[in-house]
Amino acid sequence: MQSEAYKLTGAAVVASAMGFMLRWLQNINILDEETGLAEKAPISTVMVLYIVIAALALVGYIIYLKKYDAPGEGDIAMASHTPVYTPALYVIAAMLAVSGVIQMLQAGDSLWPGMYRIGGLGTVIGAVGLAMLAAGGRSKESAPRFRRIGISLMLVFGAIWLISAYKDAATDPVLWRFAPEILAICAALIAFYYMAGYYFDSPHPMYTLFFCEMGAFLCVMSAIDDMPLAEALRFAAVALLLFLWGFVMMENLQKRETPLKLDQEP
């Protein structure tokens, strides 16, 4: 299924790049430079339609993938066939850690310094959780518990990220300035939730794949918004992680075996 993994990931990356450009065009066309308020523009309608079409296309592809079997065991479903996978997780964890530390150091420049620091701390917690997922424990016996703690920390990170982002956006009268970011964070948090199913013996492979790809798409789109570099780095790191998870899950899909007829011998 490696060819299908490349197809889906490649299509998702191209769609994300187009969304990135559309969001950039929207930002420069709808916001009045003097008042900072949004104005009506056709690009906003195009933006909404593009997100809806991307979601529907992904749903259609997920339905197509139901003809394949998805492993329910985390060790099989997330087993990469390339040695790059684990180092990539550590690199993404480092990106999250750098983002979190910078956010905490620059909290004094924000409207809500305390909440901004908490958001940075949550990002560092997510980096630790991802590193624990990559490490997997010192032995096979301790690995499941170690990974459960890691994915739980990532859920904490996603929840803190959503709360801090909402708090920051609560006083902003311009919905378009933060709506895609909130959608991206929600999709990423749901992806973390479904990914946790692999480590807590309750997997939902197709839901996980959908939210990984959709979350990555929205995170790339949001990374162009007017935000500090540390926050853009956080969106980029999460997008890379979700693309990576989606690729590995696709890679491990298996062709469904045709059942033997009664008159056939095994």
Side-chain angles (χ1 to χ4, degrees):
M1 288 298 296
Q2 198 173 61
S3 61
E4 289 291 333
Y6 279 114
K7 287 179 185 177
L8 176 60
T9 305
V13 169
V14 171
S16 300
M18 291 177 64
F20 184 90
M21 292 300 298
L22 280 175
R23 179 63 174 159
W24 174 72
L25 288 172
Q26 185 189 34
N27 285 337
I28 65 175
N29 281 286
I30 69 168
L31 296 177
D32 187 273
E33 294 183 0
E34 294 183 0
T35 64
L37 299 177
E39 300 175 344
K40 290 184 179 180
I43 188 67
S44 296
T45 303
V46 173
M47 190 75 175
V48 172
L49 289 175
Y50 185 68
I51 293 174
V52 171
I53 290 170
L56 290 176
L58 184 56
V59 168
Y61 191 75
I62 294 295
I63 293 173
Y64 161 77
L65 290 177
K66 285 189 174 181
K67 67 180 183 178
Y68 297 99
D69 286 326
E73 300 80 9
D75 289 342
I76 299 175
M78 302 308 296
S80 177
H81 302 285
T82 171
V84 176
Y85 177 65
T86 300
L89 291 181
Y90 284 119
V91 170
I92 295 170
M95 291 171 64
L96 287 174
V98 170
S99 171
V101 170
I102 294 176
Q103 287 174 63
M104 288 188 285
L105 292 175
Q106 295 179 342
D109 300 330
S110 67
L111 184 62
W112 306 97
M115 183 56 68
Y116 202 76
R117 288 191 184 93
I118 292 173
L121 178 61
T123 306
V124 173
I125 290 173
V128 173
L130 183 57
M132 292 179 72
L133 281 180
R138 295 182 179 179
S139 64
K140 290 184 178 180
E141 292 75 17
S142 65
R145 183 174 68 255
F146 204 74
R147 288 185 174 131
R148 284 178 180 177
I149 295 172
I151 195 64
S152 297
L153 291 177
M154 295 205 68
L155 285 169
V156 171
F157 154 55
I160 293 175
W161 188 14
L162 179 59
I163 293 169
S164 62
Y166 177 78
K167 178 69 174 179
D168 186 55
T171 57
D172 194 336
V174 182
L175 180 64
W176 268 118
R177 194 141 43 208
F178 61 85
E181 296 176 22
I182 298 295
L183 288 176
I185 298 169
C186 287
L189 178 56
I190 297 173
F192 295 161
Y193 169 78
Y194 279 116
M195 183 58 67
Y198 280 112
Y199 302 103
F200 287 92
D201 303 321
S202 182
H204 296 279
M206 293 306 164
Y207 289 154
T208 310
L209 182 60
F210 173 84
F211 282 105
C212 280
E213 299 297 337
M214 199 66 201
F217 167 78
L218 291 169
C219 282
V220 171
M221 182 183 295
S222 300
I224 190 60
D225 286 359
D226 184 17
M227 65 178 73
L229 181 60
E231 293 185 39
L233 179 62
R234 178 169 55 186
F235 275 106
V238 172
L240 286 173
L241 175 63
L242 296 179
F243 276 135
L244 187 61
W245 276 349
F247 181 86
V248 174
M249 288 181 64
M250 281 290 298
E251 201 177 25
N252 289 305
L253 291 181
Q254 301 167 356
K255 289 186 177 180
R256 189 167 296 165
E257 295 181 2
T258 305
L260 293 173
K261 296 182 180 180
L262 293 177
D263 58 348
Q264 286 182 318
E265 293 189 11

